[in-house]
Amino acid sequence: MERLKRGGKLSYKHTKIWNVDNWDGKEPLPPELEEAGLCISRGEAVAFPTETVYGLGADARRDTAVEQIFAAKGRPGDNPLIVHIGDRSQWHPLVSSIPDMAEKLADAFWPGPLTLIVPKSDAVSEKVTAGLDSLAVRMPEHPVARALINEAGVPVAAPSANRSGRPSPTKAEHVTYDLDGQIAGIVQGGDAGYGLESTVVDCTGEKAVILRPGGITREQLTDVLGAEHIVQADAAAEEDTPKAPGMKYRHYAPSSPLVLIEGGMQKAALAARREGKTVGIMAVDEHRRELEASADVFIPLGSKDKPAGIAAKLYDNLRAADQSGVDVIFCETFPKEGIGEAVMNRLEKAASAS
Ligand code: TXA
Ligand code: MG
């Protein structure tokens, strides 16, 4: 791994690829993961698969390691990172207390796509928490992620492994596209299963606040805590609870404008074409026959009866829409229930940014 330094920023002649696609998560541990783990423990930034999206991990206790994440992503320094642990016992040194509701949620959903915000200790770098008193912690379920964290032997700070503002990576190729030459290596371990980021729940107040909808649905959280113990982030904002700082940034957005259409897709496409624009349409498979002729590029999102499938491929489809080079992209909307809430949250952010 040849490290070059240009203008204070690290760059790599070769970003190493460790392919563990065929590892089933059982013993013996592939040497590729040992090497990648060592790389993190030495203070470098390494991308790896999780069940939600690919993350870009580094030793959460070391400023210089964490700085590499911010530099490679071009991420604003005031946007804190999630610390990933391989084992439940690892979170005790990282936090100053564990609220009851956090314990309950961890019991129910860890390992898995849930991030808990709890009061922090001083064990992690201040760069990770960006000046907040709280820390975001998640124990991922993906066997490669957990094995890597355990190999590294350190808490691993990891945001999604995309350039800031781009859709999160759900395949190793997406990471290569965004970060090749900027990071030490990429652990390639197949496509991310959920395809959308973890649900972020703030557990530092009286009630649990859903800061970001994600892999664990509101309905699942309600089953564990009861509806009366959960508030919407917007309602909480009125009560002065801070939101996930990252949610204020431009996100997930293709470079052509993305417009969400709740009905009248053909009409909208026709009007755009009359203005001389090329049109991309993103819609469910069931609407393909009806809509394909109205589009220069049609991107099928999957069956409307399989919302988890739509979520899993959403970012890949947004990247495809971006690369199609059309002047405007129209996308169907979805019911905001189950995983549909997270799908719509990401689409609305992508649309509002364009
Ligand atoms: O699924 C995921 O969560 C992926 C994988 C890699 O684990 N990670 C991820 O990280 O999506 P990132 O950095 O892209 O998003 C983390 C979000 C941001 O919106 C950030 O502002 C918020 O969590 N966050 C982090 N620490 C926080 C804190 N102490 N208080 C409030 N929000 C926090
Ligand atoms: Mg992200």
Side-chain angles (χ1 to χ4, degrees):
M1 229 161 288
E2 197 176 340
R3 288 167 61 151
L4 313 160
K5 203 152 188 176
R6 283 196 204 111
K9 190 174 160 185
L10 273 182
S11 67
Y12 294 82
K13 208 163 177 188
H14 301 288
T15 289
K16 177 122 199 196
I17 303 281
W18 292 284
N19 188 337
V20 295
D21 256 343
N22 296 323
W23 187 53
D24 63 0
K26 306 205 175 79
E27 298 296 312
L29 192 77
E32 289 86 354
L33 278 183
E34 276 177 40
E35 210 184 299
L38 199 63
C39 199
I40 291 182
S41 68
R42 272 200 243 108
E44 312 234 32
V46 167
F48 61 96
T50 84
E51 70 278 16
T52 58
V53 299
Y54 272 71
L56 176 60
D59 185 344
R61 305 163 314 174
R62 278 157 78 169
D63 287 357
T64 51
V66 176
E67 276 163 3
Q68 287 180 47
I69 293 177
F70 283 92
K73 280 183 61 88
R75 182 177 175 109
D78 66 349
N79 190 2
L81 307 178
I82 299 170
V83 174
H84 295 67
I85 54 176
D87 183 277
R88 182 90 171 248
S89 63
Q90 263 187 302
W91 77 331
H92 294 110
L94 305 177
V95 302
S96 61
S97 67
I98 298 177
D100 276 354
M101 62 184 146
E103 198 86 58
K104 271 193 196 151
L105 292 175
D107 283 343
F109 302 115
W110 277 4
L114 178 69
T115 294
L116 299 170
I117 312 279
V118 293
K120 70 166 190 181
S121 73
D122 55 10
V124 299
S125 159
E126 296 244 319
K127 310 253 172 206
V128 169
T129 46
L132 298 176
D133 296 332
S134 59
L135 179 71
V137 188
R138 169 162 115 82
M139 176 158 74
E141 189 179 12
H142 198 296
V144 171
R146 293 184 62 193
L148 179 68
I149 297 164
N150 288 331
E151 270 306 293
V154 299
V156 174
S160 48
N162 49 286
R163 280 287 301 171
S164 226
R166 302 255 306 144
S168 296
T170 52
K171 298 168 180 288
E173 299 100 271
H174 297 161
V175 183
T176 301
Y177 186 92
D178 280 12
L179 299 178
D180 195 26
Q182 314 289 315
I183 58 177
I186 302 171
V187 178
Q188 183 181 320
D191 295 359
Y194 284 86
L196 297 179
E197 301 84 349
S198 63
T199 306
V200 179
V201 178
D202 184 350
C203 297
T204 58
E206 293 258 296
K207 293 183 180 184
V209 184
I210 304 174
L211 300 180
R212 177 176 75 181
I216 298 294
T217 64
R218 173 184 303 278
E219 293 83 345
Q220 286 175 290
L221 296 172
T222 305
D223 281 347
V224 173
L225 293 183
E228 67 281 16
H229 297 295
I230 303 178
V231 273
Q232 310 251 7
D234 290 343
E238 283 156 22
E239 294 161 27
D240 271 351
T241 308
K243 288 197 209 188
M247 297 309 278
K248 72 175 186 249
Y249 289 107
R250 179 180 185 275
H251 237 129
Y252 323 116
S255 42
S256 332
L258 177 79
V259 183
L260 303 185
I261 304 279
E262 228 184 292
M265 180 72 92
Q266 274 157 323
K267 221 172 136 190
L270 194 67
R273 282 178 136 184
R274 270 206 212 100
E275 290 173 21
K277 289 182 178 156
T278 51
V279 170
I281 292 183
M282 301 174 77
V284 293
D285 298 352
E286 288 84 349
H287 296 159
R288 183 176 198 144
R289 278 183 52 190
E290 180 193 335
L291 296 176
E292 202 165 23
S294 308
D296 295 282
V297 176
F298 183 87
I299 297 176
L301 296 177
S303 169
K304 69 172 167 33
D305 299 329
K306 294 193 175 131
I310 292 175
K313 297 229 157 64
L314 185 70
Y315 287 144
D316 196 28
N317 285 325
L318 281 172
R319 282 175 181 258
D322 196 18
Q323 273 151 33
S324 72
V326 292
D327 296 322
V328 60
I329 304 156
F330 293 118
C331 182
E332 269 186 341
T333 59
F334 297 92
K336 288 182 184 173
E337 58 196 33
I339 194 69
E341 190 178 351
V343 168
M344 281 306 293
N345 170 272
R346 306 308 191 269
L347 282 174
E348 281 167 358
K349 289 206 140 285
S352 70
S354 46

